[in-house]
Amino acid sequence: QVQLVESGGGLVQPGESLSLSCTASGSISSIYALGWYRQGPGKQRELVARVTNSGASNVAESLKGRFTISRDNAKNMVFLQMNSLKPEDTAVYYCNAIVVGGDQISGSWGQGTQVTVSS
């Protein structure tokens, strides 16, 4: 089992930056990738960014240039740096892990952290 806990959400003004953190615990060796999803009001949950345990990363096309994902393997953490924030970035941001074991692939989710971008 993998447990994820996010932190760093809050209220910021448009144009400002915010950094989110996620700490993984449990069966760390079973994690294939860590990433971030978000769900805004009245919207579907969408992938923001993901990084594999080999270091390969991707960011949603619409967020490239503003959002950056990084990880600290020693601390079992993944981060999301968000710059030039816009009101449409307002959402609950969830940490996600792709977990592998045997022939099965599953996912694990954090509780979410609220990011609100407003003037």
Side-chain angles (χ1 to χ4, degrees):
Q1 296 182 353
V2 173
Q3 295 80 45
L4 304 171
V5 178
E6 306 99 331
S7 64
L11 174 64
V12 296
Q13 297 183 22
E16 294 185 343
S17 299
L18 196 64
S19 182
L20 306 181
S21 300
C22 172
T23 302
S25 61
S27 185
I28 301 300
S29 62
S30 67
I31 298 176
Y32 171 75
L34 290 168
W36 294 91
Y37 285 72
R38 70 182 185 182
Q39 187 167 19
K43 298 180 179 180
Q44 296 290 113
R45 188 171 299 187
E46 63 179 350
L47 176 66
V48 174
R50 175 178 288 146
V51 59
T52 70
N53 55 10
S54 66
S57 64
N58 67 282
V59 178
E61 186 67 28
S62 63
L63 301 177
K64 289 181 178 178
R66 294 196 300 118
F67 286 23
T68 303
I69 190 168
S70 61
R71 75 191 194 283
D72 185 333
N73 290 335
K75 297 182 178 179
N76 302 316
M77 297 183 70
V78 63
F79 309 92
L80 183 68
Q81 178 65 44
M82 304 182 291
N83 298 326
S84 302
L85 284 163
K86 305 174 181 179
E88 51 262 44
D89 295 319
T90 295
V92 178
Y93 285 71
Y94 297 90
C95 187
N96 169 260
I98 297 175
V99 181
V100 298
D103 294 330
Q104 295 186 332
I105 302 175
S106 61
S108 183
W109 295 91
Q111 81 287 352
T113 185
Q114 177 71 47
V115 173
T116 302
V117 185
S118 176
S119 60

